[in-house]
Amino acid sequence: MKMGNTLPQRLARVVLLAAVILALLIVAMQFTDQMVWTRFDFAAAGALLIGTGLLYALATTRAGNGAYRAAVAVALGAALTLVWLNLAVGVIGTEDDRANLMYVGVLAVGGVGAVIARLRPRGMAHALFATALAQAVAGAIALTLRLGDPWSPPAELLLLNGVFVALFTGSGWLFRQAARQPSSELASSGGNR
């Protein structure tokens, strides 16, 4: 294990990074009237940031290759952004539009897939490709049924959902690359991801 890269040290860095991001958001609030956050908003943002960072730290603790770590980062970054966006303004319509609950299903596909795959790269690739498909289906439903009108024009829905489809697909591709590369750390311990 590399010096300074133990799990507790990684977790401490996650908390520190979340604190820095939240501090920057507090500073940003001083310069704009467009961002009015309550203590609850900061608590929710902190929980999302720390939770995502902890998931990354735990999922990559024994990951030996960069493709796997990058795949986890892209998948978790996309999931975090999807949740944050839905809580802040909503992908479909406004943040109060019930159609946004479809994205809970998208994230559930990824989460259940990760559990089934037991975080192994080949299975994770399938899970992320399935997540991308679920995202595309949610976007197609929103476009077909014209959900979110008039706040979410079709071009906006297509763009936003397309970005998330690309991110989840990219993560799946990175997991596929990770499955093809031997992991020096796991190979030396006899693990098979």
Side-chain angles (χ1 to χ4, degrees), residues 17-40:
L17 180 60
V20 167
I21 291 170
L22 292 174
L24 289 173
L25 292 171
I26 290 171
V27 170
M29 283 181 56
Q30 309 311 307
F31 296 100
T32 180
D33 295 337
Q34 300 298 312
M35 186 177 158
V36 181
W37 280 26
T38 65
R39 288 183 179 160
F40 176 79

Side-chain angles (χ1 to χ4, degrees), residues 14 25 66 85 124 151 174 186:
V14 165
L25 292 171
L85 186 60
M124 289 299 291
W151 298 277
L174 286 166
L186 290 173

Side-chain angles (χ1 to χ4, degrees), residues 151-179:
W151 298 277
S152 299
E156 180 181 297
L157 285 174
L158 189 62
L159 176 66
L160 282 174
N161 284 284
V163 166
F164 287 107
V165 167
L167 288 169
F168 291 131
T169 300
S171 177
W173 180 82
L174 286 166
F175 276 119
R176 182 177 282 174
Q177 298 310 307

Side-chain angles (χ1 to χ4, degrees), residues 84-96 100 152 156 160:
W84 195 301
L85 186 60
N86 271 302
L87 290 175
V89 295
V91 173
I92 302 169
T94 67
E95 66 273 14
D96 298 323
N100 287 305
S152 299
E156 180 181 297
L160 282 174

